[in-house]
Amino acid sequence: MVSYAWLLGILLLLFFGLNRALNYLSFRDKEPRPSWKTKIWAIPLFSLLILAPVTGFAFLYMLFFRGIEHTGTLISFTGKANLFTFSLVILLSFLFFETFIHPLIHALIRYVLKRPPSVYGRQVITIIADCLLIYVFAHLIPGVYIQDLLSALTLSVALHMIEWILAGIMILYKKQQKRI
């Protein structure tokens, strides 16, 4: 029941935020505010455009964690709902940290060291932060069991290796497109 309350709260926050965004855009462009008839279809449609990719990527994370669960003893789940909830929370926390927290940490390091952190330093910061997120949320979400901090670090490194492989494939694809 508590998860339904959280879901309802998040959806209401999303609807309210989109309503405010539509009002702001009409004010900024010096146009009349959209009518309620427009908002009735526009706000749920925009919400779907936000929620569909997030749910899809959470499903991919769920497949990754399910594969990790079956191959070793790093992490285990009592049910598919717990697995999806964990995947969704991890995805949203990764997005939040990549958007807000990591740039603040990089700016702090730049301020302290009087030079920007290296590429490897930024990767280490990201891996350690993601490791801590996985570890903390595995203990906060019921039905998710993680072995120890080293297991969370292993999962974080595995996720980043997948990211690096996909980034490398994208670079190769762009080089191939330039040749054509």
Side-chain angles (χ1 to χ4, degrees):
M1 187 65 178
V2 173
S3 59
Y4 290 120
W6 276 102
L7 181 62
L8 180 65
I10 290 172
L11 284 175
L12 288 175
L13 182 66
L14 180 63
F15 288 167
F16 177 75
L18 287 172
N19 183 28
R20 297 299 301 161
L22 285 174
N23 290 339
Y24 170 73
L25 290 174
S26 64
F27 173 75
R28 184 190 69 183
D29 296 340
K30 295 179 177 74
E31 294 180 1
R33 289 175 61 180
S35 67
W36 279 103
K37 289 180 183 178
T38 304
K39 287 182 180 181
I40 285 175
W41 67 264
I43 291 176
L45 179 69
F46 292 149
S47 297
L48 281 177
L49 292 174
I50 293 170
L51 292 176
V54 169
T55 305
F57 281 110
F59 182 74
L60 290 176
Y61 270 63
M62 185 178 89
L63 292 176
F64 171 76
F65 286 124
R66 180 191 267 171
I68 293 293
E69 178 186 25
H70 292 304
T71 60
T73 59
L74 295 176
I75 194 166
S76 62
F77 302 93
T78 57
K80 290 182 181 179
N82 297 332
L83 177 60
F84 185 75
T85 303
F86 179 71
S87 301
L88 186 63
V89 168
I90 289 295
L91 175 68
L92 293 176
S93 65
F94 285 170
L95 288 172
F96 177 75
F97 263 67
E98 283 292 328
T99 306
F100 298 111
I101 306 300
H102 290 158
L104 289 174
I105 293 172
H106 296 157
L108 181 65
I109 289 173
R110 181 179 295 133
Y111 178 74
V112 170
L113 297 178
K114 305 290 188 230
R115 64 183 175 90
S118 68
V119 173
Y120 302 113
R122 288 193 302 258
Q123 293 297 327
V124 167
I125 291 168
T126 304
I127 287 174
I128 291 173
D130 292 351
C131 164
L132 293 174
L133 286 173
I134 290 171
Y135 187 74
V136 166
F137 284 121
H139 287 290
L140 289 178
I141 297 174
V144 179
Y145 306 103
I146 194 161
Q147 194 171 14
D148 54 4
L149 196 58
L150 185 60
S151 299
L153 181 64
T154 304
L155 290 172
S156 177
V157 169
L159 285 170
H160 282 278
M161 286 178 64
I162 292 170
E163 176 188 352
W164 296 330
I165 290 169
L166 291 175
I169 290 171
M170 187 57 121
I171 290 170
L172 289 174
Y173 177 75
K174 286 182 179 180
K175 282 184 182 179
Q176 184 69 21
Q177 289 296 322
K178 285 184 181 179
R179 284 190 218 163
I180 295 178

Short mmCIF file of all heavy atoms in Angstrom, two decimals, residues 21 29 34 45 60 88 94 108 115 120-122 130 159 179:
data_model
loop_
_atom_site.label_atom_id
_atom_site.label_comp_id
_atom_site.label_asym_id
_atom_site.label_seq_id
_atom_site.Cartn_x
_atom_site.Cartn_y
_atom_site.Cartn_z
N ALA A 21 5.14 23.73 -16.16
CA ALA A 21 5.98 23.93 -17.34
C ALA A 21 5.18 24.48 -18.51
O ALA A 21 5.64 25.38 -19.23
CB ALA A 21 6.66 22.61 -17.73
N ASP A 29 6.59 32.71 -23.99
CA ASP A 29 6.35 32.99 -25.40
C ASP A 29 5.27 34.04 -25.61
O ASP A 29 4.90 34.32 -26.75
CB ASP A 29 5.97 31.71 -26.14
CG ASP A 29 7.09 30.70 -26.13
OD1 ASP A 29 8.26 31.09 -25.91
OD2 ASP A 29 6.81 29.50 -26.33
N PRO A 34 -2.71 27.62 -22.00
CA PRO A 34 -3.52 26.54 -22.59
C PRO A 34 -4.79 26.31 -21.79
O PRO A 34 -4.81 26.44 -20.57
CB PRO A 34 -2.60 25.32 -22.52
CG PRO A 34 -1.25 25.83 -22.23
CD PRO A 34 -1.39 27.16 -21.59
N LEU A 45 -0.08 12.84 -21.89
CA LEU A 45 0.76 12.45 -23.02
C LEU A 45 2.22 12.77 -22.73
O LEU A 45 3.11 11.93 -22.96
CB LEU A 45 0.31 13.17 -24.29
CG LEU A 45 1.15 12.86 -25.53
CD1 LEU A 45 0.94 11.41 -25.96
CD2 LEU A 45 0.82 13.81 -26.65
N LEU A 60 15.33 -3.03 -18.54
CA LEU A 60 16.64 -3.53 -18.95
C LEU A 60 17.56 -3.73 -17.74
O LEU A 60 18.30 -4.71 -17.67
CB LEU A 60 17.29 -2.56 -19.95
CG LEU A 60 16.64 -2.49 -21.33
CD1 LEU A 60 17.31 -1.42 -22.17
CD2 LEU A 60 16.72 -3.84 -22.01
N LEU A 88 14.29 0.30 -10.80
CA LEU A 88 13.76 1.65 -11.03
C LEU A 88 14.41 2.67 -10.11
O LEU A 88 14.81 3.75 -10.54
CB LEU A 88 12.24 1.65 -10.85
CG LEU A 88 11.51 2.92 -11.18
CD1 LEU A 88 11.67 3.26 -12.66
CD2 LEU A 88 10.04 2.80 -10.83
N PHE A 94 20.80 6.97 -10.25
CA PHE A 94 21.93 7.20 -11.15
C PHE A 94 21.72 8.48 -11.96
O PHE A 94 22.64 9.28 -12.12
CB PHE A 94 22.13 6.03 -12.12
CG PHE A 94 22.74 4.80 -11.51
CD1 PHE A 94 22.79 3.63 -12.23
CD2 PHE A 94 23.28 4.79 -10.24
CE1 PHE A 94 23.34 2.48 -11.71
CE2 PHE A 94 23.84 3.66 -9.68
CZ PHE A 94 23.86 2.49 -10.43
N LEU A 108 34.06 20.66 -6.76
CA LEU A 108 34.77 20.71 -5.49
C LEU A 108 36.21 20.24 -5.65
O LEU A 108 37.14 20.86 -5.12
CB LEU A 108 34.03 19.86 -4.45
CG LEU A 108 34.63 19.82 -3.06
CD1 LEU A 108 34.55 21.20 -2.42
CD2 LEU A 108 33.92 18.80 -2.20
N ARG A 115 42.84 22.35 -10.40
CA ARG A 115 42.84 21.83 -11.77
C ARG A 115 41.69 20.84 -11.90
O ARG A 115 41.26 20.27 -10.90
CB ARG A 115 44.16 21.18 -12.14
CG ARG A 115 44.50 19.97 -11.32
CD ARG A 115 45.88 19.43 -11.70
NE ARG A 115 46.25 18.35 -10.82
CZ ARG A 115 45.97 17.06 -11.05
NH1 ARG A 115 45.34 16.72 -12.15
NH2 ARG A 115 46.33 16.13 -10.20
N TYR A 120 40.09 9.60 -15.68
CA TYR A 120 40.09 8.43 -14.81
C TYR A 120 39.59 8.78 -13.41
O TYR A 120 38.89 7.99 -12.78
CB TYR A 120 41.49 7.81 -14.75
CG TYR A 120 42.00 7.42 -16.10
CD1 TYR A 120 43.07 8.07 -16.68
CD2 TYR A 120 41.38 6.40 -16.82
CE1 TYR A 120 43.52 7.72 -17.93
CE2 TYR A 120 41.83 6.04 -18.07
CZ TYR A 120 42.91 6.71 -18.63
OH TYR A 120 43.35 6.35 -19.87
N GLY A 121 39.93 9.96 -12.94
CA GLY A 121 39.45 10.41 -11.64
C GLY A 121 37.94 10.56 -11.63
O GLY A 121 37.27 10.18 -10.65
N ARG A 122 37.38 11.11 -12.70
CA ARG A 122 35.93 11.23 -12.80
C ARG A 122 35.25 9.86 -12.83
O ARG A 122 34.19 9.66 -12.23
CB ARG A 122 35.55 12.05 -14.03
CG ARG A 122 35.87 13.52 -13.88
CD ARG A 122 35.21 14.33 -14.97
NE ARG A 122 35.58 13.92 -16.31
CZ ARG A 122 36.46 14.54 -17.09
NH1 ARG A 122 37.04 15.63 -16.67
NH2 ARG A 122 36.73 14.08 -18.29
N ASP A 130 28.24 5.22 -7.43
CA ASP A 130 27.25 4.22 -7.84
C ASP A 130 27.31 2.99 -6.95
O ASP A 130 26.28 2.39 -6.64
CB ASP A 130 27.46 3.83 -9.30
CG ASP A 130 27.13 4.96 -10.26
OD1 ASP A 130 26.58 5.99 -9.80
OD2 ASP A 130 27.43 4.82 -11.46
N LEU A 159 28.28 -2.51 -14.49
CA LEU A 159 27.41 -1.56 -15.18
C LEU A 159 28.23 -0.55 -15.98
O LEU A 159 27.87 -0.20 -17.11
CB LEU A 159 26.51 -0.83 -14.19
CG LEU A 159 25.35 -1.64 -13.63
CD1 LEU A 159 24.69 -0.91 -12.47
CD2 LEU A 159 24.34 -1.92 -14.72
N ARG A 179 33.01 7.68 -42.85
CA ARG A 179 33.70 7.13 -44.01
C ARG A 179 32.77 6.99 -45.21
O ARG A 179 33.19 7.04 -46.34
CB ARG A 179 34.28 5.75 -43.69
CG ARG A 179 35.51 5.84 -42.86
CD ARG A 179 36.15 4.46 -42.79
NE ARG A 179 36.67 4.28 -41.45
CZ ARG A 179 36.99 3.14 -40.93
NH1 ARG A 179 36.82 2.03 -41.63
NH2 ARG A 179 37.45 3.06 -39.71
#
